[in-house]
Amino acid sequence: MQQRLAILGSTGSIGCSTLDVVRTHPTKYCVAALTANSQVDKLLTQCIEFKPQFVVLSDYSKIAYLIEQLKLHNVATTVLAGDDLADIAEIANADIVMSAIVGSSGLLPTYKAALAGKKILLANKESLVAGGKLIREALAQNPKAKLIPVDSEHSAIFQALPDDFVSSNDSNNHSINKIILTASGGPFRCFTKDELMDVTPEMAVMHPNWTMGKKISVDSSTLMNKGLEVIEAYWLFGVGLDKLEVVVHPQSIIHSMVEYIDGSVIAQLGAPDMKTPISYALAHPNRITSGSPKLDFTQLSSLTFDKPDYAKFPCLELAFTALKVGGAIPAVLNAANEVAVAAFLEHKITFYDIPRLIESSMNYFNCADYNSIDEVMEIDVSARNYVGGLI
Ligand code: NAD
Ligand code: MG
């Protein structure tokens, strides 16, 4: 029987790659819902091809146009406004939810999908960074809910962990010594600190190995992406901070590794193509074809490894600090980063203003904590306003 899929952020890089995979497995998956922020023509093309029962378009000014175009093309999709985004998994009666919105706007729909007991494929790392504690609580409340990582590093770790892994705090899993996240090092890996003072957003979005949305591309250039991924790993795998390590691996062939107490290291390898982790998450616990290119080991000249340069890329250290401090500080770090990256993309601030603004926010909100989804969303807004003011 076909499984019903809701794709949150279908017009983005992960959303489109998910549809690429789904297109090749029409008997396994049907598209129950798609959501987008404002790219109405792309959403329309997706509706014509995949005929979802529902779409959510957050940009209210384009809804009338979408309804009219769907009618013209004889597509019987119901168009909903942004208010319904949080509940779309329930509304569409989805079995599987691809959480691929960028930023903390993905938190509420991901949280609600967990409460509703859905199988969640998580690309939206920011939701775990901001509200990891609540998402874990929601998953615990509804045993039907599952959270499968899509981020390539976390998919690799998930694949390298034992099948019965719960968390390394669990007595059965003391055998895990370390989780090693690999980082490409981004487009500025070989730049000096002086050269980094003058880098532009156009340079920052040119990632050497991956094609991604602009925000995550800038995050990769500052190494904040790896920082967010350390926090993501903390909430996904329940391991202590002392067991999380970052290694720079510029070729992006090893996507991450798990080191066991006997010295064995299990790594997952593959071409840098998100269709592999997306397919793995979709089909889990089975496997399906992904359309990703296969590795040709005879063509790989070398696989190299290095320590991250924390002085050149202070965002990585800030993320470790946020996780150590805990409470709502990771949510503050995330919100500040989102606003700073948007300002950098608009040429309003420089590359090194990004960590400066994040650090100021973390200091300003130093005791912040949260116990509910409303509280964490309020802190997110406050941190955004604070950084906006500084800019
Ligand atoms: P993207 O910018 O290409 O797409 C983002 C999607 O989110 C779009 O469909 C957009 O319409 C939607 N969106 C943006 N703001 C929204 C809002 N306020 N409300 C509702 N919808 C909104 O981003 P991406 O590269 O596909 O990344 C998506 C997520 O996946 C991010 O969290 C990113 O960190 C994560 N991720 C991406 C990759 C990758 O290769 N692109 C890899 C790993 C993880
Ligand atoms: Mg990643």
Side-chain angles (χ1 to χ4, degrees):
M1 212 175 80
Q2 278 180 319
Q3 289 188 286
R4 293 173 64 79
L5 176 64
I7 305 178
L8 316 185
S10 67
T11 52
S13 162
I14 293 288
C16 291
S17 296
T18 306
L19 287 172
D20 286 344
V21 175
V22 168
R23 184 180 289 118
T24 61
H25 297 283
T27 57
K28 289 192 166 70
Y29 308 103
C30 68
V31 178
L34 298 174
T35 86
N37 195 29
S38 66
Q39 291 188 69
V40 66
D41 287 317
K42 203 165 181 179
L43 185 62
L44 174 66
T45 307
Q46 294 177 342
C47 288
I48 293 169
E49 180 178 357
F50 292 96
K51 304 198 168 40
Q53 197 178 347
F54 297 96
V55 289
V56 178
L57 182 58
S58 296
D59 186 340
Y60 195 76
S61 68
K62 294 176 178 166
I63 286 186
Y65 168 80
L66 180 61
I67 293 173
E68 180 195 302
Q69 288 298 313
L70 287 168
K71 225 185 200 164
L72 262 175
H73 289 88
N74 281 323
V75 180
T77 296
T78 303
V79 182
L80 304 172
D83 288 349
D84 284 317
L85 176 63
D87 295 303
I88 189 62
E90 278 264 76
I91 295 171
N93 192 23
D95 303 299
I96 307 176
V97 181
M98 166 56 84
S99 169
I101 288 174
V102 62
S104 60
S105 306
L107 173 59
L108 189 59
T110 306
Y111 173 71
K112 288 206 160 180
L115 281 180
K118 305 296 177 187
K119 173 179 171 181
I120 303 165
L121 320 184
L122 187 80
N124 175 240
K125 63 193 87 186
E126 295 92 341
S127 57
L128 269 190
V129 172
K133 182 173 71 177
L134 296 173
I135 291 179
R136 285 251 67 101
E137 283 170 13
L139 290 166
Q141 268 178 46
N142 195 332
K144 264 181 68 198
K146 283 197 187 83
L147 188 64
I148 319 272
V150 168
D151 217 343
S152 57
E153 296 76 4
H154 306 75
S155 176
I157 295 160
F158 192 64
Q159 295 181 55
L161 286 170
D163 282 346
D164 61 352
F165 179 83
V166 186
S167 84
S168 61
N169 299 326
D170 187 76
S171 55
N172 296 324
N173 282 305
H174 284 310
S175 58
I176 289 152
N177 204 37
K178 227 192 283 177
I179 285 181
I180 304 163
L181 288 111
T182 53
S184 69
F188 305 140
R189 183 175 54 89
C190 301
F191 280 45
T192 64
K193 221 174 162 185
D194 277 349
E195 286 169 334
L196 280 172
M197 305 272 182
D198 300 319
V199 293
T200 64
E202 291 73 24
M203 293 158 79
V205 297
M206 298 298 290
H207 197 278
N209 305 339
W210 301 90
T211 313
M212 310 182 283
K214 280 187 181 163
K215 190 261 177 184
I216 183 177
S217 298
V218 174
D219 285 348
S220 298
S221 78
T222 61
L223 291 204
M224 179 54 95
N225 184 48
K226 211 48 53 182
L228 299 177
E229 289 182 355
V230 167
I231 304 174
E232 182 186 10
Y234 174 84
W235 288 113
L236 277 171
F237 306 118
V239 297
L241 187 53
D242 56 319
K243 290 196 173 183
L244 293 168
E245 192 176 298
V246 174
V247 168
V248 175
H249 165 50
Q251 297 81 16
S252 299
I253 296 296
I254 295 181
H255 297 305
S256 279
M257 316 178 236
V258 177
E259 182 188 279
Y260 290 84
I261 49 172
D262 59 4
S264 294
V265 178
I266 301 189
Q268 185 260 359
L269 287 71
D273 186 323
M274 289 306 293
K275 290 198 293 295
T276 298
I278 289 169
S279 306
Y280 181 78
L282 259 174
H284 183 268
N286 303 311
R287 286 191 190 258
I288 53 172
T289 55
S290 68
S292 298
K294 303 286 183 289
L295 278 185
D296 178 351
F297 283 91
T298 62
Q299 296 299 310
L300 295 175
S301 53
S302 64
L303 299 179
T304 60
F305 305 92
D306 216 336
K307 283 186 184 154
D309 187 333
Y310 289 91
K312 238 167 49 175
F313 300 104
C315 283
L316 183 56
E317 184 85 56
L318 287 171
F320 272 102
T321 304
L323 187 53
K324 251 179 242 157
V325 177
I329 300 304
V332 169
L333 165 114
N334 179 65
N337 180 57
E338 284 188 35
V339 177
V341 168
F344 175 66
L345 281 168
E346 289 170 20
H347 293 264
K348 286 184 183 155
I349 62 169
T350 68
F351 187 75
Y352 276 122
D353 285 335
I354 300 174
R356 273 187 213 116
L357 288 164
I358 296 167
E359 192 172 9
S360 300
S361 320
M362 286 167 63
N363 290 334
Y364 185 79
F365 290 93
N366 63 353
C367 294
D369 203 354
Y370 67 90
N371 284 304
S372 68
I373 193 78
D374 289 340
E375 280 175 15
V376 73
M377 285 169 41
E378 267 169 38
I379 289 163
D380 176 83
V381 172
S382 303
R384 281 165 193 276
N385 290 340
Y386 177 76
V387 180
L390 289 181
I391 290 169

